[in-house]
C-alpha cells in the first residue's frame, strides 16, 4: 500500500525541486503561486526553507482594530504577482466564486450587509445562529471564508474566527489579515491543524463540495466533526446543489453523524443567467457520543 503522507509531494517532484531551488540566507524567490500549486496538488505542509520572505511595507497603511474590519484596504499592501488583476477595483468587477462576488468592496455593495440582512430564506442571520448556541459560541472556524466578512461580523460579537483561505485568483490571505483577522493558508485536502473538540462553531459554504468527489467530502466531514466540540454548531451556508441527487447525497453524509437539525432550509435562487439553483442552508448541533 502506498503511504498517504508525503505521497502527493513525490508525484510533484519537478515542482518541488523548483520550490527548493533558492539561495540559502538570501531573499526567497517570488514563487508563492508555485507553492500554492503544490498545495493544491496535495503536497502540504510544504518543507521549510532557509531564505527571507519578500516583504511589502505596510507602515501607515493599516487601520487600527476595529475600524479595520470595514475600512477599505489599500492596493499597496497586497501582493499582486502571479494574479490577473493588479488592484481591488479589478477584482470587484469579477465573480471569483460563489462565495465572493464583489466581496472586496467593504464600504459599499452587499458585502457589508451579509449575515445581518437576509436576501432570502436561505440566508441565516448571525444573531439568530448565535442564539441557537445558548451563549456558548466563543471561537469558530470558517471554511472558504472569502474576504473574511463572516469573521468580521463575528468579531463584532466578540467571537474569534479562524478563516481558511487560499489565494486563488485574489490575495485573500493578505486582505483578511489587513482587516485585523486571522487567515489560515490551508487547502481542504489537508488535515486541520487543530486539536480535537476545540471549536464552538464551524461555518462552510459551497467550498465544502471539494471538487464534487463524495469520498473527499466524507473525509472532510469526519475532520470537521473531530474539531467541533459536543454541542457545537455546524453552519452550512447556502451550499449549492447541482441537482436534487447532489442534495440527497450531501444529506446522507450529514445524517450519518447524527447531528440535531436546528435549522434546515432548502430553497431556490436565480443565478446570473436567470436559471434556478438549489441551495441548502442548515444549522446542525453535534451530539454527545458514548
Amino acid at each position: 500500500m502506498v503511504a498517504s503522507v508525503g505521497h502527493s509531494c513525490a508525484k510533484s517532484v519537478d515542482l518541488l525541486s523548483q520550490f527548493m531551488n533558492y539561495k540559502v540566507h538570501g531573499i526567497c524567490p517570488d514563487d508563492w503561486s508555485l507553492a500554492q500549486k503544490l498545495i493544491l496538488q496535495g503536497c502540504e505542509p510544504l518543507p521549510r526553507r532557509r531564505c527571507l520572505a519578500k516583504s511589502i511595507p505596510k507602515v501607515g497603511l493599516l487601520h487600527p482594530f476595529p475600524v479595520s474590519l470595514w475600512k477599505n484596504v489599500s492596493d499597496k499592501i497586497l501582493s499582486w504577482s502571479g494574479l490577473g488583476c493588479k488592484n481591488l477595483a479589478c477584482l470587484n468587477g469579477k465573480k471569483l466564486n460563489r462565495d465572493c462576488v464583489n466581496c472586496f468592496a467593504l464600504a459599499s455593495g452587499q458585502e457589508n450587509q451579509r449575515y445581518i440582512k437576509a436576501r432570502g430564506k436561505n440566508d441565516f442571520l448571525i444573531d439568530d445562529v448565535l442564539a441557537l448556541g445558548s451563549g456558548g459560541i466563543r471561537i469558530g472556524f470558517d471554511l472558504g471564508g472569502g474576504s473574511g466578512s463572516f469573521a468580521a461580523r463575528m468579531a463584532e460579537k466578540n467571537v474569534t474566527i479562524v478563516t481558511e483561505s487560499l489565494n486563488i485568483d485574489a490575495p485573500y490571505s493578505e486582505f483578511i489579515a489587513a482587516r485585523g483577522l486571522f487567515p489560515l493558508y490551508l487547502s481542504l485536502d489537508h488535515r486541520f491543524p487543530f486539536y480535537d473538540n476545540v471549536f464552538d462553531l464551524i461555518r462552510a459554504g459551497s467550498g465544502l463540495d471539494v471538487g464534487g468527489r463524495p469520498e473527499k467530502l466524507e473525509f472532510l466531514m469526519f475532520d470537521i466533526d473531530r474539531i467541533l466540540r459536543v454541542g457545537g454548531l455546524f453552519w452550512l451556508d447556502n451550499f449549492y446543489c447541482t441537482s436534487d441527487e447532489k442534495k440527497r447525497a450531501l444529506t446522507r453524509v450529514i445524517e450519518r453523524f447524527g447531528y440535531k437539525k436546528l435549522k434546515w432550509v432548502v430553497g431556490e435562487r436565480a443565478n446570473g443567467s436567470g436559471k434556478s439553483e438549489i441551495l441548502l442552508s442548515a444549522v446542525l448541533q453535534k451530539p454527545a457520543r458514548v
Side-chain angles (χ1 to χ4, degrees):
M1 180 180 290
V2 177
S4 60
V5 178
H7 179 57
S8 295
C9 291
K11 293 191 298 183
S12 307
V13 64
D14 291 341
L15 292 178
L16 190 59
S17 295
Q18 292 180 47
F19 180 72
M20 296 305 293
N21 183 19
Y22 64 94
K23 183 180 178 181
V24 176
H25 298 157
I27 301 297
C28 295
D30 187 8
D31 59 357
W32 73 265
S33 56
L34 172 62
Q36 183 166 275
K37 188 179 294 185
L38 280 164
I39 289 172
L40 290 172
Q41 292 184 10
C43 182
E44 61 177 331
L46 291 171
R48 287 175 170 165
R49 301 193 294 189
R50 290 180 295 160
C51 58
L52 302 172
K54 182 181 178 181
S55 59
I56 298 175
K58 301 183 180 184
V59 177
L61 297 174
L62 295 173
H63 303 291
F65 191 87
V67 174
S68 59
L69 292 175
W70 297 103
K71 197 80 171 177
N72 283 333
V73 174
S74 170
D75 294 329
K76 297 178 181 178
I77 64 173
L78 305 174
S79 175
W80 299 98
S81 65
L83 297 173
C85 283
K86 302 302 179 184
N87 54 59
L88 293 171
C90 172
L91 291 178
N92 284 323
K94 298 177 179 293
K95 180 180 179 179
L96 296 171
N97 56 61
R98 291 186 175 277
D99 296 321
C100 183
V101 181
N102 295 326
C103 71
F104 293 96
L106 301 182
S108 60
Q110 65 182 25
E111 189 65 15
N112 60 13
Q113 297 297 307
R114 292 183 70 185
Y115 311 110
I116 59 172
K117 185 176 181 180
R119 293 175 299 162
K121 65 178 183 178
N122 281 81
D123 291 342
F124 301 159
L125 304 185
I126 278 180
D127 285 340
D128 295 339
V129 174
L130 289 178
L132 297 174
S134 304
I137 307 299
R138 305 150 302 154
I139 56 173
F141 187 30
D142 189 12
L143 305 182
S147 61
S149 292
F150 176 71
R153 285 298 177 202
M154 294 295 271
E156 294 173 338
K157 305 292 183 180
N158 295 318
V159 178
T160 300
I161 298 291
V162 177
T163 303
E164 178 270 336
S165 69
L166 285 175
N167 290 347
I168 298 177
D169 299 325
Y172 290 103
S173 294
E174 287 176 293
F175 190 90
I176 293 168
R179 299 178 73 175
L181 303 168
F182 186 167
L184 180 65
Y185 193 66
L186 185 79
S187 82
L188 294 183
D189 290 334
H190 186 77
R191 187 179 194 267
F192 298 135
F194 305 115
Y195 194 67
D196 301 353
N197 305 300
V198 293
F199 286 106
D200 303 314
L201 179 144
I202 297 176
R203 191 201 77 96
S206 291
L208 188 71
D209 189 39
V210 285
R213 295 174 58 182
E215 69 278 8
K216 291 182 71 174
L217 174 60
E218 185 177 33
F219 273 102
L220 178 57
M221 279 301 303
F222 270 103
D223 212 22
I224 289 172
D225 181 79
R226 177 183 65 81
I227 63 174
L228 183 65
R229 67 165 173 83
V230 172
L233 303 181
F234 176 46
W235 180 354
L236 188 60
D237 186 10
N238 281 283
F239 181 86
Y240 168 60
C241 303
T242 54
S243 65
D244 198 53
E245 173 55 34
K246 186 64 173 291
K247 175 180 69 67
R248 288 195 296 268
L250 175 64
T251 301
R252 286 193 296 269
V253 171
I254 291 175
E255 290 180 341
R256 194 175 302 159
F257 291 85
Y259 281 40
K260 182 179 180 181
K261 295 180 180 178
L262 303 180
K263 293 175 75 73
W264 185 277
V265 177
V266 178
E268 293 187 0
R269 181 180 296 168
N271 60 19
S273 61
K275 295 182 179 179
S276 293
E277 298 178 337
I278 301 174
L279 299 172
L280 171 61
S281 293
V283 178
L284 310 166
Q285 188 172 45
K286 181 177 175 177
R289 304 187 183 105
V290 178

